[in-house]
Amino acid sequence: MLRDLRRNTLEWIISLLRRLSNRLSERQMIAVLAVVVGLLAGFGTCIFEMLLHWLQTALVSWFPSDEAQALLLVYPAIGIILATLFVKYIVRDEISEGVTRVLYAMARKDSRIAGHNCWSSIVGGATTIGFGGSVGPEAPIVLTGAAIGSNVGKLARLNYKELTLLLCCGAGAAVAAIFKAPITGVVFVLEILMLDITSASVFPLILASVTATTTALIYRGFDPIFAITLSEADVFVIKQIPLYILLGVCCGLMSYYFTSVNSGVGKFVKRIDSQYKRWIFAGVVLGLLIFIFPPLYGEGYRSLTAFMHGDVQALFSNSMFFKFRTIEWVAIIYATAIMFFKVVAMATTNASGGVGGTFAPSLFVGAYMGAIVALICNTCFGWNVSIVSFSLVGMAGVMAGVMKAPLTSIFLIAELSNGYGLFIPLMIVAAISF
């Protein structure tokens, strides 16, 4: 009965698309489909975030902040095992590293992505991250959005060029929805997916990104993913340019460390000849790292936001070092260790079977880099350096170096924080790091 319902629904959709194609011009048809893709991608993003929020609330929200939690030793292993079994026995296809999958589909598969990717990355990614896998939700969401665009294009029987355009609309819409940043969604596609810049391609892309962002705003409200507002004390000061140049160099070096460790850990885990041994390895490594450094749990946005606002003590919640939270030099060392071990945790999660990406970890590491530079300046030299501004600019720096996408990183941080007054330091740091 369910199969008959699906077949009848599919036939109705195809019939509707055929009637529309007979009445509309090619450009009008693509514009309509771009809006449809934007709606579906925005709705898919909302489902992903609701599922992720539900899991994290159920698993960790009840932990008292002043006590270390032994459950953090086992949660990540459970999540990776569940995600691996889901991929192996239900999906039966590779769904990790979403952006790479999208690029591969564009280059080798005529922009055709399997239908299961419209939902499988949501389930796999939410399971991995919800149980503590130290990866980001953006890559699964990008693959989901791209799959929606590809499959809508297949239903409409579009040619390769038009199908590629809709795939890119879906990917851009997904980025725009998860960050509530429509400009970033457009720039992401143009810079990373390298879509040709023409009026025929940019207009549908804008439609999809704006539609997805609007959908996200309706369902999730106007609060940004990082609740940050720049005050007068956080504005760009000309005399701090040398510090921003130093931060750009640090972000470039951290980007090199990020990519090298990610590659090295991935190769090491792949040499392990049994999936059971990979689970054991990932469970031990992630369990210990997250138990010692709780901010490594999941994407880490909550503790990251508190840290960026100068609440350094929030890093010590659920940590065995909670009683040392008021000692400044301990906080700097602890934050530095979190920054370096985040890359190890991310690489271990992805390589051992988890579903996630490097997008959010690069933002996480960049924010920590910027905040640490500001903390050192304030603690050791007594300078009044804004932790918020340096954290935001550090995000752009590491993302520019890791993703090779300076424009996307600049516009993302500007939209996330309404920090358009930081454009000069954003450009300086992103360019140097890149």
mmCIF file of all heavy atoms in Angstrom, residues 356-394:
data_model
loop_
_atom_site.group_PDB
_atom_site.id
_atom_site.type_symbol
_atom_site.label_atom_id
_atom_site.label_comp_id
_atom_site.label_asym_id
_atom_site.label_seq_id
_atom_site.Cartn_x
_atom_site.Cartn_y
_atom_site.Cartn_z
ATOM 1 N N GLY A 356 29.819 13.326 9.198
ATOM 2 C CA GLY A 356 29.963 14.739 9.509
ATOM 3 C C GLY A 356 31.001 15.359 8.602
ATOM 4 O O GLY A 356 31.492 14.723 7.664
ATOM 5 N N GLY A 357 31.345 16.606 8.883
ATOM 6 C CA GLY A 357 32.284 17.286 8.006
ATOM 7 C C GLY A 357 33.256 18.161 8.771
ATOM 8 O O GLY A 357 33.292 18.161 10.005
ATOM 9 N N THR A 358 34.047 18.913 8.026
ATOM 10 C CA THR A 358 35.117 19.740 8.598
ATOM 11 C C THR A 358 34.734 21.215 8.676
ATOM 12 O O THR A 358 35.512 22.024 9.171
ATOM 13 C CB THR A 358 36.390 19.608 7.749
ATOM 14 O OG1 THR A 358 36.113 20.033 6.402
ATOM 15 C CG2 THR A 358 36.870 18.157 7.720
ATOM 16 N N PHE A 359 33.557 21.558 8.192
ATOM 17 C CA PHE A 359 33.124 22.953 8.136
ATOM 18 C C PHE A 359 33.066 23.554 9.537
ATOM 19 O O PHE A 359 33.749 24.535 9.851
ATOM 20 C CB PHE A 359 31.741 23.007 7.484
ATOM 21 C CG PHE A 359 31.424 24.290 6.779
ATOM 22 C CD1 PHE A 359 31.298 24.328 5.404
ATOM 23 C CD2 PHE A 359 31.229 25.456 7.488
ATOM 24 C CE1 PHE A 359 30.986 25.515 4.748
ATOM 25 C CE2 PHE A 359 30.931 26.642 6.852
ATOM 26 C CZ PHE A 359 30.804 26.670 5.471
ATOM 27 N N ALA A 360 32.252 22.967 10.406
ATOM 28 C CA ALA A 360 32.103 23.480 11.774
ATOM 29 C C ALA A 360 33.396 23.370 12.585
ATOM 30 O O ALA A 360 33.735 24.303 13.317
ATOM 31 C CB ALA A 360 30.953 22.761 12.482
ATOM 32 N N PRO A 361 34.129 22.244 12.505
ATOM 33 C CA PRO A 361 35.396 22.196 13.244
ATOM 34 C C PRO A 361 36.379 23.294 12.849
ATOM 35 O O PRO A 361 37.123 23.796 13.697
ATOM 36 C CB PRO A 361 35.943 20.807 12.896
ATOM 37 C CG PRO A 361 34.727 19.979 12.658
ATOM 38 C CD PRO A 361 33.770 20.919 11.975
ATOM 39 N N SER A 362 36.405 23.681 11.571
ATOM 40 C CA SER A 362 37.306 24.764 11.176
ATOM 41 C C SER A 362 36.881 26.083 11.820
ATOM 42 O O SER A 362 37.726 26.888 12.233
ATOM 43 C CB SER A 362 37.353 24.897 9.647
ATOM 44 O OG SER A 362 36.122 25.384 9.132
ATOM 45 N N LEU A 363 35.570 26.324 11.928
ATOM 46 C CA LEU A 363 35.085 27.517 12.626
ATOM 47 C C LEU A 363 35.433 27.449 14.107
ATOM 48 O O LEU A 363 35.848 28.444 14.718
ATOM 49 C CB LEU A 363 33.562 27.648 12.454
ATOM 50 C CG LEU A 363 33.039 27.891 11.040
ATOM 51 C CD1 LEU A 363 31.518 27.917 11.046
ATOM 52 C CD2 LEU A 363 33.588 29.185 10.459
ATOM 53 N N PHE A 364 35.249 26.276 14.700
ATOM 54 C CA PHE A 364 35.559 26.065 16.114
ATOM 55 C C PHE A 364 37.023 26.360 16.401
ATOM 56 O O PHE A 364 37.358 27.133 17.315
ATOM 57 C CB PHE A 364 35.213 24.610 16.462
ATOM 58 C CG PHE A 364 35.405 24.227 17.909
ATOM 59 C CD1 PHE A 364 34.332 24.192 18.775
ATOM 60 C CD2 PHE A 364 36.654 23.876 18.394
ATOM 61 C CE1 PHE A 364 34.501 23.829 20.105
ATOM 62 C CE2 PHE A 364 36.840 23.513 19.720
ATOM 63 C CZ PHE A 364 35.755 23.491 20.583
ATOM 64 N N VAL A 365 37.903 25.753 15.632
ATOM 65 C CA VAL A 365 39.347 25.928 15.840
ATOM 66 C C VAL A 365 39.747 27.382 15.607
ATOM 67 O O VAL A 365 40.553 27.955 16.357
ATOM 68 C CB VAL A 365 40.129 24.979 14.910
ATOM 69 C CG1 VAL A 365 41.617 25.310 14.931
ATOM 70 C CG2 VAL A 365 39.918 23.533 15.334
ATOM 71 N N GLY A 366 39.181 28.005 14.577
ATOM 72 C CA GLY A 366 39.497 29.402 14.297
ATOM 73 C C GLY A 366 39.072 30.334 15.411
ATOM 74 O O GLY A 366 39.804 31.269 15.777
ATOM 75 N N ALA A 367 37.882 30.098 15.972
ATOM 76 C CA ALA A 367 37.408 30.930 17.078
ATOM 77 C C ALA A 367 38.329 30.795 18.287
ATOM 78 O O ALA A 367 38.651 31.784 18.957
ATOM 79 C CB ALA A 367 35.980 30.545 17.451
ATOM 80 N N TYR A 368 38.753 29.570 18.564
ATOM 81 C CA TYR A 368 39.664 29.355 19.687
ATOM 82 C C TYR A 368 41.012 30.032 19.434
ATOM 83 O O TYR A 368 41.612 30.619 20.351
ATOM 84 C CB TYR A 368 39.865 27.861 19.943
ATOM 85 C CG TYR A 368 38.864 27.286 20.914
ATOM 86 C CD1 TYR A 368 37.538 27.112 20.555
ATOM 87 C CD2 TYR A 368 39.235 26.929 22.197
ATOM 88 C CE1 TYR A 368 36.606 26.593 21.438
ATOM 89 C CE2 TYR A 368 38.320 26.404 23.097
ATOM 90 C CZ TYR A 368 37.000 26.246 22.714
ATOM 91 O OH TYR A 368 36.079 25.741 23.598
ATOM 92 N N MET A 369 41.485 29.960 18.206
ATOM 93 C CA MET A 369 42.756 30.606 17.888
ATOM 94 C C MET A 369 42.675 32.108 18.137
ATOM 95 O O MET A 369 43.551 32.711 18.780
ATOM 96 C CB MET A 369 43.131 30.328 16.434
ATOM 97 C CG MET A 369 44.383 31.068 15.958
ATOM 98 S SD MET A 369 45.855 30.683 16.930
ATOM 99 C CE MET A 369 46.238 29.046 16.288
ATOM 100 N N GLY A 370 41.610 32.733 17.635
ATOM 101 C CA GLY A 370 41.444 34.165 17.845
ATOM 102 C C GLY A 370 41.287 34.529 19.313
ATOM 103 O O GLY A 370 41.875 35.510 19.796
ATOM 104 N N ALA A 371 40.488 33.738 20.043
ATOM 105 C CA ALA A 371 40.262 34.021 21.456
ATOM 106 C C ALA A 371 41.540 33.851 22.271
ATOM 107 O O ALA A 371 41.814 34.636 23.199
ATOM 108 C CB ALA A 371 39.168 33.106 21.998
ATOM 109 N N ILE A 372 42.334 32.837 21.936
ATOM 110 C CA ILE A 372 43.584 32.602 22.666
ATOM 111 C C ILE A 372 44.569 33.745 22.444
ATOM 112 O O ILE A 372 45.230 34.216 23.382
ATOM 113 C CB ILE A 372 44.194 31.252 22.252
ATOM 114 C CG1 ILE A 372 43.340 30.102 22.793
ATOM 115 C CG2 ILE A 372 45.631 31.118 22.751
ATOM 116 C CD1 ILE A 372 43.662 28.754 22.186
ATOM 117 N N VAL A 373 44.668 34.213 21.204
ATOM 118 C CA VAL A 373 45.542 35.367 20.926
ATOM 119 C C VAL A 373 45.096 36.578 21.736
ATOM 120 O O VAL A 373 45.914 37.289 22.347
ATOM 121 C CB VAL A 373 45.537 35.681 19.413
ATOM 122 C CG1 VAL A 373 46.224 37.030 19.152
ATOM 123 C CG2 VAL A 373 46.231 34.589 18.627
ATOM 124 N N ALA A 374 43.777 36.820 21.786
ATOM 125 C CA ALA A 374 43.258 37.959 22.554
ATOM 126 C C ALA A 374 43.507 37.776 24.047
ATOM 127 O O ALA A 374 43.894 38.730 24.744
ATOM 128 C CB ALA A 374 41.761 38.120 22.280
ATOM 129 N N LEU A 375 43.301 36.561 24.562
ATOM 130 C CA LEU A 375 43.527 36.302 25.983
ATOM 131 C C LEU A 375 44.990 36.506 26.366
ATOM 132 O O LEU A 375 45.294 37.074 27.424
ATOM 133 C CB LEU A 375 43.102 34.872 26.326
ATOM 134 C CG LEU A 375 41.601 34.607 26.500
ATOM 135 C CD1 LEU A 375 41.354 33.116 26.689
ATOM 136 C CD2 LEU A 375 41.059 35.395 27.689
ATOM 137 N N ILE A 376 45.903 36.050 25.532
ATOM 138 C CA ILE A 376 47.328 36.230 25.812
ATOM 139 C C ILE A 376 47.682 37.714 25.833
ATOM 140 O O ILE A 376 48.417 38.188 26.713
ATOM 141 C CB ILE A 376 48.179 35.472 24.776
ATOM 142 C CG1 ILE A 376 48.011 33.956 24.962
ATOM 143 C CG2 ILE A 376 49.652 35.857 24.901
ATOM 144 C CD1 ILE A 376 48.691 33.129 23.894
ATOM 145 N N CYS A 377 47.144 38.470 24.864
ATOM 146 C CA CYS A 377 47.414 39.916 24.824
ATOM 147 C C CYS A 377 46.883 40.604 26.081
ATOM 148 O O CYS A 377 47.550 41.480 26.655
ATOM 149 C CB CYS A 377 46.765 40.533 23.584
ATOM 150 S SG CYS A 377 47.546 40.065 22.029
ATOM 151 N N ASN A 378 45.694 40.214 26.503
ATOM 152 C CA ASN A 378 45.079 40.858 27.668
ATOM 153 C C ASN A 378 45.731 40.426 28.979
ATOM 154 O O ASN A 378 45.935 41.245 29.885
ATOM 155 C CB ASN A 378 43.582 40.541 27.704
ATOM 156 C CG ASN A 378 42.825 41.132 26.532
ATOM 157 O OD1 ASN A 378 43.308 42.061 25.888
ATOM 158 N ND2 ASN A 378 41.657 40.604 26.245
ATOM 159 N N THR A 379 46.066 39.140 29.083
ATOM 160 C CA THR A 379 46.604 38.612 30.337
ATOM 161 C C THR A 379 48.077 38.967 30.528
ATOM 162 O O THR A 379 48.496 39.379 31.619
ATOM 163 C CB THR A 379 46.435 37.080 30.385
ATOM 164 O OG1 THR A 379 45.053 36.748 30.236
ATOM 165 C CG2 THR A 379 46.937 36.515 31.697
ATOM 166 N N CYS A 380 48.846 38.794 29.470
ATOM 167 C CA CYS A 380 50.299 38.982 29.592
ATOM 168 C C CYS A 380 50.745 40.430 29.417
ATOM 169 O O CYS A 380 51.748 40.851 30.002
ATOM 170 C CB CYS A 380 51.020 38.105 28.574
ATOM 171 S SG CYS A 380 50.727 36.329 28.808
ATOM 172 N N PHE A 381 50.006 41.205 28.599
ATOM 173 C CA PHE A 381 50.454 42.563 28.295
ATOM 174 C C PHE A 381 49.490 43.645 28.793
ATOM 175 O O PHE A 381 49.787 44.830 28.681
ATOM 176 C CB PHE A 381 50.658 42.725 26.787
ATOM 177 C CG PHE A 381 51.632 41.733 26.197
ATOM 178 C CD1 PHE A 381 51.175 40.629 25.488
ATOM 179 C CD2 PHE A 381 52.999 41.882 26.384
ATOM 180 C CE1 PHE A 381 52.065 39.699 24.958
ATOM 181 C CE2 PHE A 381 53.887 40.969 25.865
ATOM 182 C CZ PHE A 381 53.426 39.867 25.145
ATOM 183 N N GLY A 382 48.320 43.222 29.291
ATOM 184 C CA GLY A 382 47.367 44.191 29.809
ATOM 185 C C GLY A 382 46.671 45.007 28.739
ATOM 186 O O GLY A 382 46.125 46.081 29.028
ATOM 187 N N TRP A 383 46.671 44.516 27.492
ATOM 188 C CA TRP A 383 45.999 45.238 26.409
ATOM 189 C C TRP A 383 44.502 44.960 26.458
ATOM 190 O O TRP A 383 44.063 43.910 26.912
ATOM 191 C CB TRP A 383 46.564 44.820 25.052
ATOM 192 C CG TRP A 383 48.019 45.124 24.901
ATOM 193 C CD1 TRP A 383 48.756 45.997 25.647
ATOM 194 C CD2 TRP A 383 48.921 44.542 23.955
ATOM 195 N NE1 TRP A 383 50.057 46.020 25.233
ATOM 196 C CE2 TRP A 383 50.195 45.124 24.174
ATOM 197 C CE3 TRP A 383 48.791 43.608 22.946
ATOM 198 C CZ2 TRP A 383 51.319 44.795 23.436
ATOM 199 C CZ3 TRP A 383 49.902 43.267 22.193
ATOM 200 C CH2 TRP A 383 51.147 43.850 22.435
ATOM 201 N N ASN A 384 43.739 45.884 25.957
ATOM 202 C CA ASN A 384 42.286 45.723 25.934
ATOM 203 C C ASN A 384 41.850 45.228 24.550
ATOM 204 O O ASN A 384 41.297 45.971 23.748
ATOM 205 C CB ASN A 384 41.606 47.050 26.290
ATOM 206 C CG ASN A 384 40.103 46.904 26.446
ATOM 207 O OD1 ASN A 384 39.601 45.814 26.740
ATOM 208 N ND2 ASN A 384 39.388 47.996 26.243
ATOM 209 N N VAL A 385 42.119 43.959 24.285
ATOM 210 C CA VAL A 385 41.809 43.372 22.975
ATOM 211 C C VAL A 385 40.464 42.648 23.068
ATOM 212 O O VAL A 385 40.222 41.899 24.022
ATOM 213 C CB VAL A 385 42.916 42.381 22.544
ATOM 214 C CG1 VAL A 385 42.542 41.688 21.247
ATOM 215 C CG2 VAL A 385 44.229 43.126 22.395
ATOM 216 N N SER A 386 39.607 42.862 22.080
ATOM 217 C CA SER A 386 38.273 42.259 22.082
ATOM 218 C C SER A 386 38.342 40.767 21.758
ATOM 219 O O SER A 386 38.771 40.376 20.665
ATOM 220 C CB SER A 386 37.375 42.969 21.055
ATOM 221 O OG SER A 386 36.176 42.245 20.862
ATOM 222 N N ILE A 387 37.905 39.937 22.694
ATOM 223 C CA ILE A 387 37.871 38.486 22.449
ATOM 224 C C ILE A 387 36.849 38.153 21.377
ATOM 225 O O ILE A 387 37.085 37.291 20.518
ATOM 226 C CB ILE A 387 37.548 37.737 23.759
ATOM 227 C CG1 ILE A 387 38.669 37.934 24.775
ATOM 228 C CG2 ILE A 387 37.333 36.250 23.497
ATOM 229 C CD1 ILE A 387 38.400 37.284 26.120
ATOM 230 N N VAL A 388 35.707 38.856 21.383
ATOM 231 C CA VAL A 388 34.653 38.599 20.395
ATOM 232 C C VAL A 388 35.167 38.849 18.983
ATOM 233 O O VAL A 388 35.035 37.999 18.086
ATOM 234 C CB VAL A 388 33.412 39.469 20.674
ATOM 235 C CG1 VAL A 388 32.401 39.325 19.538
ATOM 236 C CG2 VAL A 388 32.764 39.068 21.994
ATOM 237 N N SER A 389 35.779 40.012 18.769
ATOM 238 C CA SER A 389 36.256 40.357 17.422
ATOM 239 C C SER A 389 37.333 39.400 16.941
ATOM 240 O O SER A 389 37.296 38.919 15.804
ATOM 241 C CB SER A 389 36.794 41.793 17.405
ATOM 242 O OG SER A 389 35.767 42.717 17.673
ATOM 243 N N PHE A 390 38.299 39.091 17.798
ATOM 244 C CA PHE A 390 39.389 38.210 17.390
ATOM 245 C C PHE A 390 38.887 36.778 17.171
ATOM 246 O O PHE A 390 39.396 36.069 16.306
ATOM 247 C CB PHE A 390 40.515 38.248 18.421
ATOM 248 C CG PHE A 390 41.520 39.330 18.160
ATOM 249 C CD1 PHE A 390 41.170 40.667 18.279
ATOM 250 C CD2 PHE A 390 42.811 39.025 17.761
ATOM 251 C CE1 PHE A 390 42.083 41.673 18.029
ATOM 252 C CE2 PHE A 390 43.739 40.022 17.502
ATOM 253 C CZ PHE A 390 43.379 41.352 17.631
ATOM 254 N N SER A 391 37.879 36.352 17.924
ATOM 255 C CA SER A 391 37.305 35.022 17.708
ATOM 256 C C SER A 391 36.624 34.939 16.351
ATOM 257 O O SER A 391 36.810 33.972 15.598
ATOM 258 C CB SER A 391 36.295 34.698 18.816
ATOM 259 O OG SER A 391 36.908 34.667 20.077
ATOM 260 N N LEU A 392 35.846 35.952 16.029
ATOM 261 C CA LEU A 392 35.137 35.968 14.748
ATOM 262 C C LEU A 392 36.123 35.999 13.578
ATOM 263 O O LEU A 392 35.976 35.260 12.596
ATOM 264 C CB LEU A 392 34.204 37.172 14.680
ATOM 265 C CG LEU A 392 32.971 37.127 15.599
ATOM 266 C CD1 LEU A 392 32.271 38.486 15.614
ATOM 267 C CD2 LEU A 392 32.000 36.046 15.142
ATOM 268 N N VAL A 393 37.125 36.856 13.692
ATOM 269 C CA VAL A 393 38.103 36.970 12.609
ATOM 270 C C VAL A 393 38.931 35.686 12.509
ATOM 271 O O VAL A 393 39.262 35.231 11.405
ATOM 272 C CB VAL A 393 39.006 38.201 12.841
ATOM 273 C CG1 VAL A 393 40.109 38.260 11.803
ATOM 274 C CG2 VAL A 393 38.179 39.483 12.790
ATOM 275 N N GLY A 394 39.242 35.067 13.646
ATOM 276 C CA GLY A 394 39.948 33.785 13.622
ATOM 277 C C GLY A 394 39.148 32.705 12.924
ATOM 278 O O GLY A 394 39.703 31.856 12.210
#
